[in-house]
Amino acid sequence: MKKLVHRIRASSVLASVIWCMLGAVLLLWANLSARLLCYLLGGALLVHGVSQALPALRGGERQPRLLLEFVVGVAIALAGGWAIVWPGTAEKLIPVILGAVTVIHGAEELGLALRMRRSGATAARPALILAVVTLALGGVLILRPAFLADLLLRVTGACLLFDGAARAFVFRAFARVEELTDELPSDSFER
């Protein structure tokens, strides 16, 4: 269990740092970062799509699985090309995509906070509040992507910065709780 907790902590710290850096970039350089983000995202999607479609073409057999991989790879590559060629329209979807990721993070954090609450951890209440706020911010990004048009990327950056910081806090607190419960006798959880 300790290895799992250490892996979760290490990956969550790295994800939190990346998320906070992306949020800070969006806050500080909103106009430049939207276009740059479209190019980077488009390039990553293009490379991913081509790398998924090519092996399916090389396969000598005509299997449904290979056909599906080819179609998905082409769709991903086309989405990447679209983001590179028409970044103005693609940048309107960035808040929705990042909002969906933020909602997923909030749901993960909520699950951990509820688990901490059941174990009686003192950090459960702040973790629960942070998770709910993260979910709400992600929902705003998904449901209202066009609000405050000029400030949207700054708001997105603030949401990502908050999500990264909240994620770091929740995973750090969860790891501490898990370490403490590993040290307790197994009958201490029975009621």
Side-chain angles (χ1 to χ4, degrees):
M1 183 63 156
K2 283 188 177 186
K3 287 182 182 180
L4 175 64
V5 169
H6 288 293
R7 268 190 286 155
I8 288 173
R9 183 188 298 171
S11 67
S12 68
V13 166
L14 179 62
S16 298
V17 167
I18 291 170
W19 220 236
C20 286
M21 287 173 47
L22 181 59
V25 167
L26 289 173
L27 277 170
L28 297 174
W29 299 289
N31 295 334
L32 172 66
S33 60
R35 184 72 39 119
L36 183 62
L37 192 57
C38 282
Y39 290 139
L40 291 174
L41 184 61
L45 290 173
L46 188 61
V47 168
H48 176 69
V50 168
S51 69
Q52 184 171 341
L54 282 180
L57 279 177
R58 291 185 188 149
E61 304 169 17
R62 297 286 181 223
Q63 297 177 357
R65 182 183 61 82
L66 289 177
L67 180 61
L68 180 63
E69 283 187 31
F70 175 75
V71 170
V72 169
V74 168
I76 291 170
L78 287 174
W82 171 69
I84 291 170
V85 175
W86 292 290
T89 57
E91 68 187 41
K92 293 176 185 167
L93 289 178
I94 290 173
V96 175
I97 293 167
L98 295 176
V101 172
T102 301
V103 165
I104 291 168
H105 286 170
E108 289 174 344
E109 294 161 13
L110 183 62
L112 293 174
L114 291 174
R115 191 167 163 187
M116 288 168 35
R117 186 176 181 192
R118 282 192 298 269
S119 71
T122 57
R125 174 171 272 159
L128 190 59
I129 292 168
L130 290 171
V132 169
V133 171
T134 300
L135 280 168
L137 290 173
V140 167
L141 289 172
I142 292 170
L143 298 175
R144 304 286 298 186
F147 86 105
L148 300 174
D150 292 338
L151 298 177
L152 184 58
L153 285 173
R154 294 186 200 286
V155 171
T156 303
C159 292
L160 294 179
L161 199 54
F162 181 86
D163 178 36
R167 188 171 182 80
F169 174 82
V170 170
F171 274 95
R172 185 171 176 226
F174 176 74
R176 260 194 253 128
V177 168
E178 286 297 310
E179 287 174 359
L180 290 176
T181 56
D182 283 346
E183 295 172 6
L184 295 174
S186 61
D187 63 344
S188 64
F189 290 107
E190 296 174 7
R191 298 194 187 243

